Amino acid sequence: MPELIEPTLSLRDSWLKSAAEWGSETQHGSGLQEDDQVGTVEGFVRWIERLRRQRDAVVEPGRVPASYWWIVDDGEYAGAITLRYELNERLLDGGGHIGYGVRPSARGRGLATWALGQVLDRARASGLDRVLVTCDDDNLASARTIERNGGVLEDVRDTWLGLTRRYWIDL
């Protein structure tokens, strides 16, 4: 049975194996930034601490308060999902309230659909009544995940992420 947990040092090895699968591709929903030094234990811990501060509304310029969870299946890191509690102009354009990504070897098992449903419940509990969820226009698997969770396509537009599908989900 999958679960959502807060990022933890105990799954570092599993996370690093996932990062190798992703290669240079962005791990959506992870909160990983270019300057994060996750190759060392100390850097990995600093990254996790930054994610926790963001949950507590201690945010860097250009960022918003957010919670991060890891999707864990059979004790292994399978992906990440983020809930942003507010939108700035950039996130309204292309990033949305929720971002997620499932590692390549864990795809096709319904984990993204399940995780999005779990986070929608958490968004509702936090007081949000509507959320924006986006995906690349050519990511049909992600589009189906969003639609299975009640996403209604508003439009497809060219954003800072490229050609992006923008869906709203009423909570």
Side-chain angles (χ1 to χ4, degrees):
M1 185 68 160
E3 60 183 326
L4 292 182
I5 67 166
E6 288 191 17
T8 176
L9 179 60
S10 67
L11 286 176
R12 180 175 178 263
D13 289 343
S14 182
W15 187 92
L16 289 171
K17 289 176 186 171
S18 172
E21 287 179 27
W22 283 90
S24 63
E25 189 180 351
T26 300
Q27 293 188 51
H28 298 290
S30 70
L32 188 64
Q33 297 178 358
E34 286 183 23
D35 59 345
D36 287 320
Q37 301 296 316
V38 295
T40 67
V41 171
E42 296 79 15
F44 199 85
V45 168
R46 278 193 302 276
W47 171 53
I48 289 172
E49 288 171 353
R50 181 177 54 75
L51 297 180
R52 289 187 180 139
R53 284 192 309 273
Q54 196 168 341
R55 175 197 62 208
D56 297 333
V58 180
V59 296
E60 301 163 6
R63 302 193 69 81
V64 298
S67 291
Y68 295 86
W69 297 278
W70 286 356
I71 305 164
V72 177
D73 194 29
D74 291 327
E76 292 292 317
Y77 174 88
I81 189 163
T82 305
L83 171 61
R84 300 174 193 99
Y85 297 101
E86 57 190 62
L87 297 178
N88 57 26
E89 188 174 317
R90 184 175 180 166
L91 292 172
L92 180 60
D93 180 46
H97 287 95
I98 299 172
Y100 57 87
V102 173
R103 74 190 281 178
S105 64
R107 293 177 185 163
R109 301 190 316 219
L111 291 171
T113 300
W114 172 82
L116 180 55
Q118 295 294 304
V119 170
L120 290 172
D121 289 341
R122 294 173 189 207
R124 186 178 303 107
S126 78
L128 294 171
D129 58 5
R130 186 175 177 217
V131 294
L132 176 65
V133 186
T134 70
C135 67
D136 293 343
D137 184 48
D138 62 356
N139 189 341
L140 299 182
S142 190
R144 282 191 303 273
T145 292
I146 298 166
E147 290 165 359
R148 284 185 189 121
N149 277 285
V152 176
L153 182 65
E154 178 182 59
D155 62 15
V156 178
R157 65 173 73 165
D158 194 19
T159 72
W160 56 277
L161 294 167
L163 201 54
T164 303
R165 292 178 183 239
R166 299 174 69 254
Y167 291 88
W168 288 96
I169 301 175
D170 290 325
L171 302 175

